């Protein structure tokens, strides 16, 4: 009986190991293939060997990105858009959420319900209206115009999200602060924001990462080459008229490095924020 049990356990472990190894290879191979393509000679995807690094090693694609293209400019454009979107979203959303959480005024519930209704419809439904508005305010082919689109799209759902979190914060803290002579803005900055740090950190991270590889709205708003984002610039290498997959892979690899570092740092911030949250009702 013991021999049969050990044999069964050994077979289960072996089969599980084989299955998970195959799954890991299936998931990791595309990533390894892109890394290999970034350092492989040639240009098109057909010239890349299916065996990683089977055709040799070169860094000419990385050199071409920074000498023959506007990759550095695209990177700075994307960084500006992402940072501006994150800062404005956090500032406006946290203020709006505090007002909805702590104040009572007319049409409060209808306004909150309108946020939910707006969130039901995908943002692509209003692309024509967005285009017309940007055209009339001279926001087309400008970075601030694209930031405006992202911030406006972030407000409805995120206001609900932060507002629900602030609702759980004890109102006794507000009353104690008012007894000490603090006003609403002082309560917001000194009490509410530190307590709401976990949800604010989450909002800042998601608002920063979302614009990095978005393609649809930059394609609609931005026209000139020097104002393009990384998504537009990189996808320009793999169009019907171009087949520069290796250059595309090199650019994607460079984007991934700071993105991974940011994710690791922000993940640590998220854990620290949640562990340091104040006691709520």
């Amino acid at each position: 009986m013991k021999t049969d049990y050990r044999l069964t356990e050994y077979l289960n472990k072996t089969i599980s190991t084989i299955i998970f190894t195959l799954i890991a290879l299936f998931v990791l191979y595309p990533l390894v293939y892109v890394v290999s393509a970034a350092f492989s000679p040639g240009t098109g995807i057909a010239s890349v060997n299916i065996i990683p690094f089977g055709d040799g090693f070169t860094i000419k694609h990385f050199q071409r990105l920074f000498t023959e293209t506007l990759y550095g400019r695209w990177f700075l454009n994307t960084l500006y858009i992402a940072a501006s979107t994150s800062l404005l979203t956090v500032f406006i959303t946290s203020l709006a959420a505090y007002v909805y959480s702590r104040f009572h005024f007319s049409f409060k519930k209808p306004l909150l319900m309108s946020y939910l209704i707006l969130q039901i419809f995908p943002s692509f439904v209003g692309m024509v209206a967005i285009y017309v508005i940007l055209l009339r305010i001279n926001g087309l082919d400008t970075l601030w115009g694209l930031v405006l689109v992202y911030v406006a799209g972030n407000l409805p759902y995120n206001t609900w999200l932060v507002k629900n979190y602030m609702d759980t914060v004890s109102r006794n803290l507000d009353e104690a602060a008012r007894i000490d002579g603090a006003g609403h803005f002082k309560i917001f900055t000194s009490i509410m924001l530190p307590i709401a740090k976990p949800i604010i950190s989450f909002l800042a991270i998601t608002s920063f990462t979302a614009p990095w590889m978005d393609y649809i709205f930059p394609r609609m708003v931005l026209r000139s080459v020097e104002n393009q984002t990384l998504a537009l610039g990189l996808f320009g290498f793999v169009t019907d008229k171009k087949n520069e997959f290796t250059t595309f892979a090199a650019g994607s690899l460079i984007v991934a490095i700071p993105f991974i570092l940011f994710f690791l740092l922000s993940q640590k911030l998220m854990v620290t924020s949640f562990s340091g949250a104040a006691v709520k009702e």
Side-chain angles (χ1 to χ4, degrees):
M1 293 295 293
K2 290 184 178 180
T3 304
D4 294 339
Y5 175 76
R6 291 178 180 177
L7 179 61
T8 303
E9 185 179 8
Y10 175 77
L11 289 175
N12 290 335
K13 289 183 178 180
T14 303
I15 294 173
S16 299
T17 302
I18 293 173
I19 293 175
F20 284 112
T21 301
L22 292 175
I23 293 175
L25 292 174
F26 182 77
V27 172
L28 293 176
Y29 179 77
L31 301 178
V32 176
Y33 183 79
V34 172
V35 175
S36 173
F39 294 98
S40 297
T43 56
I45 189 172
S47 63
V48 180
N49 198 319
I50 61 173
I51 301 176
F53 301 100
D55 292 330
F57 185 90
T58 182
I59 60 171
K60 67 177 184 179
H61 306 303
F62 296 93
Q63 295 174 345
R64 181 176 182 274
L65 281 174
F66 291 99
T67 57
E68 301 179 21
T69 69
L70 296 176
Y71 185 84
R73 181 67 179 269
W74 300 336
F75 188 93
L76 292 178
N77 291 343
T78 308
L79 180 63
Y80 170 80
I81 292 171
S84 300
T85 300
S86 179
L87 290 175
L88 289 175
T89 299
V90 168
F91 177 73
I92 299 174
T93 300
S94 58
L95 277 176
Y98 177 74
V99 171
Y100 280 113
S101 176
R102 289 301 194 257
F103 291 87
H104 297 281
F105 51 89
S106 302
F107 304 108
K108 176 181 177 179
K109 289 185 178 180
L111 286 174
L112 288 173
M113 289 302 299
S114 67
Y115 289 166
L116 288 181
I117 295 174
L118 287 174
Q119 196 61 33
I120 294 175
F121 300 97
S123 55
F124 304 116
V125 174
M127 289 186 66
V128 176
I130 293 172
Y131 181 87
V132 173
I133 292 173
L134 291 178
L135 179 63
R136 293 186 176 181
I137 65 175
N138 296 322
L140 288 178
D141 199 24
T142 61
L143 300 183
W144 65 264
L146 187 57
V147 171
L148 186 64
V149 172
Y150 285 137
V151 173
N154 288 340
L155 291 182
Y157 174 75
N158 289 320
T159 299
W160 257 99
L161 186 68
V162 179
K163 182 259 181 189
N164 290 336
Y165 188 94
M166 290 183 176
D167 286 342
T168 63
V169 179
S170 175
R171 294 179 181 271
N172 295 331
L173 298 176
D174 299 34
E175 296 174 0
R178 289 194 186 94
I179 293 175
D180 293 337
H184 291 296
F185 188 75
K186 184 68 174 178
I187 295 173
F188 172 71
T189 56
S190 300
I191 297 177
M192 190 61 67
L193 284 184
I195 294 177
K197 186 179 178 181
I199 195 65
I200 296 297
S201 301
F202 172 79
L203 178 60
I205 293 168
T206 54
S207 300
F208 183 87
T209 56
W212 272 89
M213 293 309 294
D214 182 34
Y215 180 82
I216 302 297
F217 283 110
R219 181 65 177 173
M220 180 187 71
V221 177
L222 305 177
R223 302 296 178 179
S224 57
V225 178
E226 60 272 11
N227 286 337
Q228 287 184 347
T229 61
L230 284 171
L232 289 179
L234 288 178
F235 280 105
F237 294 122
V238 286
T239 61
D240 294 336
K241 299 180 180 179
K242 287 186 178 181
N243 185 17
E244 301 179 18
F245 178 75
T246 51
T247 306
F248 171 83
S252 301
L253 188 61
I254 296 176
V255 174
I257 294 174
F259 202 82
I260 292 172
L261 293 177
F262 174 78
F263 176 78
L264 294 175
L265 293 175
S266 61
Q267 187 180 39
K268 182 179 179 180
L269 176 63
M270 287 288 293
V271 174
T272 304
S273 299
F274 277 107
S275 63
V279 177
K280 305 189 290 293
E281 287 181 337

